[in-house]
Amino acid sequence: MTLYDLKPRFQALLRPLLKRLFRAGVTANQVTLAALIASVAIGVLLFFFPRPALFLILPIFLFIRMALNAIDGLLAREYNQKSKLGALLNETGDVISDAALYLPFALLPGATQWLVLLAVLLSILTEFCGVLAQTIGASRRYDGPMGKSDRALIFGAYALAIFIWPVCMEWSWILFSLVSVLLAWTCLNRCRRALAEVNS
């Protein structure tokens, strides 16, 4: 089970806002682009100013980003806004946003930079494996244990922890080692279950 399994409940909470946005003429692609631009802007800020105090921005924004990701999907599905451009924006936007938001961890004091880079690369690979499933006739895979929402929870919690207790940065290598293992497991799960789906 991953946080992705809780997505329907989260979406239900967003429906009142969803209706207002639709009535205001907001489109799914606009929401996707807004999330991407905001992610890159925050990533650039943290990259050039990698101060523990500023990382409080991250858990707040990651929650907002999850809401925006849910909203663009709902707008696309429920208000007939699905498009090939939207699919491309959604998939590429998630990968770029993850890289922008998580790479700044490598610049914090005491960070093991290669482990942070490994975690970011494996994050990208999980999404690649999820999309790759469609090329063999399976559905887009969202299997865990370290999907997009799970990463947001883990890294958001870590950002909050280093804001409150900066000494936590000394143990970041443990976190990024564990996350990397879980990400590799996620890649294997998505590929294995995609094959099982097409062979069933």
Side-chain angles (χ1 to χ4, degrees), residues 108-166:
L108 285 171
T112 305
Q113 294 185 345
W114 72 268
L115 277 175
V116 178
L117 292 174
L118 177 62
V120 171
L121 288 173
L122 286 171
S123 295
I124 294 170
L125 187 58
T126 62
E127 299 312 308
F128 176 73
C129 291
V131 173
L132 189 63
Q134 296 173 305
T135 68
I136 62 171
S139 59
R140 173 46 163 110
R141 302 305 308 182
Y142 295 98
D143 310 280
M146 191 56 64
K148 179 175 65 177
S149 299
D150 306 287
R151 295 194 296 271
L153 176 63
I154 294 295
F155 291 132
Y158 176 56
L160 180 61
I162 63 177
F163 169 77
I164 299 172
W165 303 291

Side-chain angles (χ1 to χ4, degrees), residues 19-34:
K19 293 177 181 178
R20 292 175 188 168
L21 290 173
F22 176 71
R23 289 170 185 163
V26 176
T27 68
N29 287 353
Q30 288 172 344
V31 174
T32 304
L33 282 173

Side-chain angles (χ1 to χ4, degrees), residues 15-16 51 87 138 147-148 156 164-165 168 176 181 183 195:
R15 287 189 187 282
R51 301 167 186 166
K148 179 175 65 177
I164 299 172
W165 303 291
C168 292
F176 285 96
V181 170
L183 286 167
L195 288 171

